[in-house]
Amino acid sequence: MQPINQLKRTPIYNIHLRLGAKMVDFSGWEMPIQYEGIKSEHFCVRNSAGLFDVSHMGRIDFKGADALANVQYLTTNNASNMKDGKVIYSLMCNENGGIIDDVTVYRINSSHYFFCVNASNTSKDYEWIRKNIRGNAGLVNLNGEVSIIALQGPKAQKILQNLVNVNLEEIKPFWFRAGLMDSAEILISRTGYTGEDGFELYIRREHSADIWERISEKGKEYGLKPAGLGARDTLRTEMKYTLYGNEIDENVSPLEACLERYVDFNKGDFIGRDSLLKEKENGIKRRLVGFEMTEHSIPRHGFDIYRNGKLIGKVTSGMLSWHLNRGIGIGLVLSEYSETGSKFEVKIREKFYKARVIETPFYKRSL
């Protein structure tokens, strides 16, 4: 943790203070964890809409004739069929198949892609990419130059449509369009990490505070409220979305994390491919599961998981789900205990509480 006076701040920082946000050190950034409360912000996103400042996340651009070849080599998913304006989720792995980071890949055109990366990994990712990039491809770290605002929730489209010159109905999930809000250029991506419909807006740093204010003002009639990173974490946990540093890191493979659908072994060579193929052939030893507590208790990150006195895994994320009204968690356990219905115990303050593996996501959005 860095001294408070050394933390980076987004251009929206003063607005967060004015709104009474509780600010915390988040990966070297001073970010809002909550405003009026995580629970109310969580339900506001589920029922109407929430506005998140996620400008701490990184953006790394590739440009050049070999941009696609590098995206293919650096990541596990297949970007060869992407069209301009398409977004895919993917992973960067080390030679051992461990996850360096999970990223979203945006295709601007055939010679221009960019990665949106986790805040805590931006510098590491940039250096790793720089060392592995090949051929005719330039690399630019835009962290700090571009702000990202996420508008999430069932009312998101109605709020945003009144403010931009793009027909949002034409943007399907995991696609994006460039447009204008007033005179500010804005990239509108129909993506997010809450499980709700919504948009992530990429904006030049100097315009981000004004755009935050414009969306906030327009959103009042729809019940929009600012939401902090605390609500973002509870929302993504209910969806069993992985979080770097919790569910995934360089010692966890995409196969263990149940992210194999984002690994295309048939696309050709990529970093980590041989190790992942070997792991698949030899059998995957651990699996990431979603579980519910069957006794009154709340699991938390780092708690041990046992079966009949044998240590079989750890809780990677845990919480009281207000939606389900019971404790839920995500855990990395030995594969033989990962089937739906498998039972185990979570050790909480020297006591063992019963739990069982269930189907995920925990929360399903009603359409």
Side-chain angles (χ1 to χ4, degrees):
M1 184 174 293
Q2 297 186 32
I4 194 75
N5 60 357
Q6 294 181 17
L7 296 177
K8 291 179 279 191
R9 294 173 176 173
T10 78
I12 307 168
Y13 173 80
N14 287 328
I15 297 176
H16 298 321
L17 294 186
R18 191 190 73 215
L19 294 171
K22 178 181 178 183
M23 307 297 286
V24 300
D25 178 354
F26 192 92
S27 302
W29 291 77
E30 194 172 0
M31 299 297 293
I33 192 75
Q34 62 175 316
Y35 300 83
E36 64 179 45
I38 294 174
K39 182 177 181 179
S40 64
E41 291 160 28
H42 178 108
F43 279 112
C44 188
V45 174
R46 289 277 186 247
N47 298 325
S48 53
L51 193 60
F52 299 84
D53 178 10
V54 287
S55 302
H56 59 309
M57 297 186 71
R59 173 175 163 170
I60 300 173
D61 271 35
F62 298 79
K63 289 183 181 178
D66 294 323
L68 173 59
N70 278 283
V71 171
Q72 292 288 78
Y73 181 62
L74 295 167
T75 64
T76 61
N77 207 343
N78 193 343
S80 64
N81 295 322
M82 292 177 72
K83 300 183 183 304
D84 295 354
K86 179 61 180 167
V87 187
I88 60 171
Y89 178 84
S90 193
L91 302 147
M92 298 193 299
C93 289
N94 58 32
E95 292 288 353
N96 297 323
I99 298 172
I100 288 179
D101 204 358
D102 61 336
V103 302
T104 43
V105 181
Y106 289 67
R107 171 172 159 138
I108 304 293
N109 56 52
S110 62
S111 60
H112 185 186
Y113 294 77
F114 75 80
F115 291 174
C116 181
V117 304
N118 283 293
S120 59
N121 291 336
T122 304
S123 297
K124 180 189 76 171
D125 290 351
Y126 179 81
E127 285 305 312
W128 182 81
I129 293 168
R130 189 183 61 77
K131 289 177 182 175
N132 287 287
I133 200 165
R134 306 182 297 189
N136 179 9
L139 191 62
V140 180
N141 184 353
L142 292 177
N143 196 26
E145 296 182 32
V146 176
S147 294
I148 309 173
I149 293 173
L151 174 61
Q152 300 282 294
K155 303 289 180 62
Q157 181 170 316
K158 288 184 177 178
I159 295 168
L160 191 61
Q161 188 60 83
N162 294 302
L163 300 171
V164 296
N165 68 342
V166 173
N167 182 358
L168 299 177
E169 193 67 37
E170 296 176 352
I171 305 178
K172 302 304 179 188
F174 274 76
W175 287 83
F176 69 89
R177 293 275 295 275
L180 293 172
M181 183 182 293
D182 299 329
S183 60
E185 294 181 352
I186 182 171
L187 189 151
I188 307 166
S189 171
R190 196 161 204 141
T191 53
Y193 220 57
T194 63
E196 296 298 331
D197 186 23
F199 303 90
E200 291 176 306
L201 313 175
Y202 291 76
I203 315 148
R204 297 292 306 176
R205 178 182 175 87
E206 58 268 28
H207 298 303
S208 55
D210 288 341
I211 285 178
W212 174 281
E213 297 281 43
R214 291 274 284 131
I215 296 173
S216 297
E217 184 62 30
K218 186 61 188 175
K220 286 180 181 176
E221 62 185 287
Y222 297 98
L224 173 71
K225 292 183 178 180
L229 298 181
R232 191 166 180 264
D233 191 51
T234 57
L235 290 160
R236 71 92 195 163
T237 300
E238 281 190 341
M239 297 303 297
K240 197 188 170 233
Y241 291 159
T242 57
L243 177 66
Y244 200 90
N246 282 38
E247 279 73 41
I248 55 176
D249 59 35
E250 293 192 37
N251 297 308
V252 178
S253 78
L255 310 184
E256 291 176 318
C258 300
L259 298 172
E260 187 171 347
R261 61 190 181 280
Y262 304 111
V263 180
D264 187 345
F265 289 108
N266 298 317
K267 70 169 182 171
D269 191 26
F270 61 87
I271 299 175
R273 181 176 184 273
D274 291 345
S275 294
L276 293 173
L277 275 175
K278 187 176 179 181
E279 181 185 8
K280 191 173 182 179
E281 291 167 2
N282 292 339
I284 301 159
K285 292 184 171 53
R286 302 180 298 176
R287 290 283 192 181
L288 199 65
V289 300
F291 64 88
E292 65 175 3
M293 304 304 299
T294 54
E295 292 183 296
H296 182 69
S297 53
I298 302 173
R300 298 295 185 193
H301 170 76
F303 287 180
D304 289 329
I305 298 174
Y306 288 81
R307 174 71 179 268
N308 296 330
K310 176 185 175 183
L311 181 64
I312 63 166
K314 278 192 179 295
V315 177
T316 56
S317 295
M319 58 180 280
L320 171 64
S321 170
W322 302 297
H323 175 73
L324 299 171
N325 195 31
R326 60 180 179 272
I328 61 170
I330 306 171
L332 191 60
V333 301
L334 297 176
S335 293
E336 55 264 40
Y337 303 102
S338 65
E339 294 296 322
T340 299
S342 292
K343 298 177 180 178
F344 47 65
E345 304 86 42
V346 179
K347 187 178 181 181
I348 303 174
R349 289 183 290 278
E350 303 307 318
K351 292 185 178 180
F352 294 90
Y353 293 87
K354 294 178 181 176
R356 67 182 172 201
V357 178
I358 63 172
E359 296 285 346
T360 51
F362 300 103
Y363 167 82
K364 292 182 176 62
R365 176 159 53 101
S366 56
L367 299 176

